[in-house]
Amino acid sequence: MDVSKTKTSFYRRLYVAYLIDSGLASNVPALTEATGMPRRTAQDTIAALADLDITCEFEQEDGARNHAGRYRIRDWGAIDRGWIEGNLQRIKAVLEYP
């Protein structure tokens, strides 16, 4: 499948936001396990969510050290989460994720 870098980048951000919001993968280790992407790519993708006006915040676990906690989507901005759910198979196929 011949797909532009812009599309794969956009879909990757949507998919990561969806995984975080659904609770399927709400921290970097879980994201790398769910997608197979390198740790640094997962971190960069989370940071890039703000470019789409998706508000993603890290919540530190009480009493935990070393950034133990989870990410949470606070606002989807102009993105329709329902569209992502309805197109998950297509998004995963473009990204070549399991």
Side-chain angles (χ1 to χ4, degrees):
M1 183 182 307
D2 190 26
V3 182
S4 72
K5 288 183 179 183
T6 301
K7 186 176 222 172
T8 57
S9 176
F10 181 65
Y11 277 13
R12 184 179 305 107
R13 292 175 193 188
L14 295 181
Y15 190 54
V16 164
Y18 171 80
L19 290 173
I20 291 169
D21 195 50
S22 65
L24 296 172
S26 58
N27 59 39
V28 172
L31 285 170
T32 60
E33 185 176 328
T35 63
M37 71 175 70
R39 178 188 59 81
R40 185 67 191 167
T41 302
Q43 291 170 322
D44 290 347
T45 302
I46 292 168
L49 293 176
D51 293 342
L52 299 178
D53 286 334
I54 296 174
T55 305
C56 181
E57 297 174 351
F58 185 77
E59 296 178 342
Q60 181 83 20
E61 288 181 14
D62 290 337
R65 299 185 327 183
N66 300 328
H67 302 289
R70 57 177 280 169
Y71 288 95
R72 186 177 303 266
I73 302 297
R74 294 286 183 204
D75 185 7
W76 281 91
I79 303 298
D80 179 5
R81 186 184 188 279
W83 183 91
I84 299 167
E85 286 179 314
N87 290 279
L88 272 178
Q89 293 309 314
R90 179 171 142 203
I91 292 168
K92 289 169 68 173
V94 167
L95 297 172
E96 298 179 352
Y97 289 159

